[in-house]
Amino acid sequence: MLHPLVALLMLIAIMQILTLPRNKAIAPFLVTFFTIPTAQVVLVGPLHFPVLRILILTGLARMALPRSAGSGGTFTGGFNMLDQIVVFWTASALIVVSLQWMDPQGLIKFVGDFLDSLGGYLVVRFLIPDREAVRLTVRALALICLIQGMCMLSEQFTHRNVFAFLGANQPTIRNGKIRSEGVMGTLFGGTFAGVLIPLFLWLWTAGKSKFAAALGLIGATAMVFASHASTSWLAYGSSLLGLSFWFARKRMRLVRWGIVTALVGCHLFMNGPVWSLIEKIDLTGGSSSYHRYELVDNCIRHFSDWWLLGYKYYGRWGFDMWDLCNQFVVAALTGGLITLISFIMIYSRSFGLIGKTRKRVQGIRAQEWFLWCLGSSLFANVVASFGINYMIQLQLMLFVLIACVSIGVLKTRTTVEKKQIRYAVYTVEPKDIDAPVHSRYSRLESGAYSR
């Protein structure tokens, strides 16, 4: 079940995760995690340990090492409300699905999924302690997209998956178009690439890693193109749409209420419910958008079946209803209403933190743009969640974004507070009292003022 090449890469990654400085260990963790197929598994008796789970366990071991946290603590800024919501979401999903099935063998599988979810989040939250780690994270994701993009493009010409010998799927054909698989699969790989576009654009504008950013943009675009999937293009387009609202960032309340009003109006005047708009989305000519509409429709109509402890007989609702290609529906049917609400709260809290912090740094364009790019990636995740269920690798990608939100918000606020303190402890010369604020601040930076 474990290829010798993968075993070697895994051992190298384990050594780097355990020995590198904390804020640099995230790079080998991510590159290895997203370039090894989920089919690579170590068997210990009846227990399965996918390589991806072993990497998570290694990260947790690094957390437990003495003095590994440093002066900043295990989680930079403390265990905040967003962290608590993620823990609650993963715990409620485990409890509800265990009560739903009441099966000892199933419990082993559910505990493994819980370890992947909660453990994966704790590891990336620990390994991304500062803004430099955020930058390194985006650079690592750019490298991953470049590797995957090249391999998925090769499938368009060779009709063979480079990673097939490691258990990855061979490319398929739909409506005469080849759908490349890569390591993560057609939908998962394309979605992974599509939601990262804003972060690569931020890396480009930050100025220090333009080459890496360009490679990431090229690789991600290649992945989306080679997947030939509507969900992939929808994630890509949503990323660009989110970025396009940058010029309306001071009027987002009006934009949000406008969207709500438009959706309510559509629901009142359309022949079908407003969520039937999902079936109209077909960007490749071969999308199963009607199936995704049916999933949402059946989930809403059968609310009484799943609200308390989820529902495991959803396959009886209609043709192909076993295929839960909607992350919100997955949260509802496997975890009930409480798990669905907590999953939505992760996004709600993240957007709220980004919005409030952006207002605090208004006028500092570099900080505003960084936060806006994070929000755009999260927005693309929300849109993509209506067309795909998040497997372990996409789930970890979401956790990486959430960790970046926590660090980005904390460091941005700290920067603003330091600047406010520096204003307070310097004496402004009388001749500069009427000078513009930015002029006085530049003189402050140059040491022109006395304490």
Side-chain angles (χ1 to χ4, degrees):
M1 302 287 292
L2 185 66
H3 194 278
L5 177 60
V6 173
L8 177 61
L9 292 175
M10 179 182 70
L11 291 175
I12 293 174
I14 288 174
M15 292 177 59
Q16 291 180 322
I17 292 170
L18 294 176
T19 58
L20 285 175
R22 174 181 171 184
N23 63 347
K24 297 186 183 301
I26 186 66
F29 175 80
L30 292 178
V31 172
T32 310
F33 196 92
F34 289 110
T35 53
I36 294 179
T38 56
Q40 292 296 305
V41 180
V42 176
L43 297 179
V44 182
L47 300 179
H48 291 62
F49 287 91
V51 171
L52 308 186
R53 186 173 298 165
I54 294 174
L55 293 173
I56 291 174
L57 290 172
T58 303
L60 293 174
R62 171 66 187 269
M63 287 178 57
L65 291 177
R67 295 186 297 276
S68 63
S71 59
T74 303
F75 304 107
T76 304
F79 205 68
N80 58 41
M81 180 62 71
L82 185 55
D83 300 326
Q84 295 172 26
I85 295 173
V86 174
V87 172
F88 182 80
W89 170 57
T90 55
S92 66
L94 171 65
I95 294 171
V96 172
V97 77
S98 299
L99 293 174
Q100 182 184 129
W101 285 89
M102 298 293 288
D103 178 75
Q105 292 298 318
L107 181 61
I108 296 175
K109 193 264 183 188
F110 301 144
V111 171
D113 293 341
F114 174 72
L115 175 61
D116 295 339
S117 299
L118 182 57
Y121 178 75
L122 296 178
V123 168
V124 297
R125 181 71 169 86
F126 170 76
L127 293 179
I128 306 179
D130 51 40
R131 284 287 287 271
E132 188 57 36
V134 172
R135 188 185 304 275
L136 183 60
T137 296
V138 180
R139 292 174 63 182
L141 293 172
L143 176 61
I144 294 166
C145 285
L146 179 64
I147 296 172
Q148 297 294 325
M150 293 174 59
C151 294
M152 291 178 72
L153 273 183
S154 73
E155 295 180 46
Q156 296 291 313
F157 303 99
T158 64
H159 300 184
R160 294 190 61 83
N161 190 345
V162 176
F163 298 95
F165 74 102
L166 299 179
N169 296 326
Q170 294 287 6
T172 58
I173 298 178
R174 179 183 290 186
N175 291 344
K177 296 180 180 179
I178 299 173
R179 292 159 60 96
S180 301
E181 291 281 338
V183 168
M184 290 178 277
T186 297
L187 291 176
F188 303 118
T191 301
F192 172 85
V195 301
L196 291 177
I197 294 298
L199 295 185
F200 296 151
L201 288 174
W202 164 73
L203 193 64
W204 173 275
T205 55
K208 296 182 179 180
S209 304
K210 286 192 174 183
F211 183 68
L215 294 180
L217 288 168
I218 293 171
T221 303
M223 290 176 70
V224 172
F225 172 79
S227 68
H228 281 297
S230 291
T231 303
S232 303
W233 282 110
L234 199 60
Y236 195 96
S238 300
S239 292
L240 299 179
L241 179 63
L243 291 172
S244 69
F245 278 98
W246 162 256
F247 300 101
R249 60 190 182 279
K250 298 179 182 179
R251 299 177 178 84
M252 287 307 296
R253 180 182 294 274
L254 180 63
V255 172
R256 289 193 297 269
W257 279 109
I259 293 173
V260 170
T261 302
L263 291 176
V264 172
C266 289
H267 189 73
L268 293 175
F269 295 103
M270 285 173 52
N271 291 329
V274 68
W275 52 88
S276 65
L277 292 172
I278 296 174
E279 68 174 317
K280 311 296 183 183
I281 302 173
D282 186 358
L283 304 181
T284 60
S287 176
S288 54
S289 52
Y290 182 76
H291 170 68
R292 287 164 171 78
Y293 154 67
E294 283 286 307
L295 274 175
V296 176
D297 191 61
N298 275 301
C299 186
I300 294 173
R301 294 179 186 277
H302 294 85
F303 176 80
S304 59
D305 290 338
W306 58 263
W307 75 271
L308 182 59
L309 293 176
Y311 189 65
K312 60 183 179 180
Y313 301 115
Y314 47 82
R316 302 174 181 175
W317 288 350
F319 179 72
D320 268 357
M321 287 296 101
W322 57 269
D323 185 7
L324 298 181
C325 49
N326 183 309
Q327 185 60 32
F328 294 102
V329 174
V330 169
L333 299 186
T334 59
L337 184 60
I338 190 171
T339 303
L340 174 61
I341 292 175
S342 59
F343 179 65
I344 295 173
M345 284 180 63
I346 293 174
Y347 285 114
S348 175
R349 179 65 177 175
S350 298
F351 284 126
L353 286 172
I354 291 173
K356 291 177 182 177
T357 307
R358 190 207 62 77
K359 290 179 180 178
R360 293 186 64 176
V361 299
Q362 189 166 301
I364 309 176
R365 293 180 67 87
Q367 301 287 358
E368 282 192 274
W369 176 243
F370 169 64
L371 294 170
W372 196 265
C373 289
L374 277 178
S376 298
S377 283
L378 279 174
F379 171 69
N381 264 283
V382 173
V383 175
S385 294
F386 283 94
I388 195 172
N389 57 305
Y390 275 29
M391 39 75 89
I392 178 174
Q393 288 165 313
L394 276 187
Q395 184 174 259
L396 189 91
M397 181 206 63
L398 173 61
F399 291 158
V400 168
L401 288 176
I402 296 172
C404 289
V405 169
S406 293
I407 296 302
V409 166
L410 174 67
K411 295 303 180 182
T412 301
R413 288 179 175 178
T414 303
T415 301
V416 172
E417 290 170 358
K418 286 182 178 179
K419 288 182 178 179
Q420 292 172 343
I421 292 173
R422 295 184 69 179
Y423 275 123
V425 300
Y426 279 86
T427 301
V428 181
E429 296 178 4
K431 65 180 181 179
D432 289 325
I433 288 295
D434 296 326
V437 172
H438 64 81
S439 173
R440 288 182 302 195
Y441 183 68
S442 64
R443 288 175 59 79
L444 180 153
E445 287 283 74
S446 65
Y449 297 153
S450 59
R451 290 184 182 274

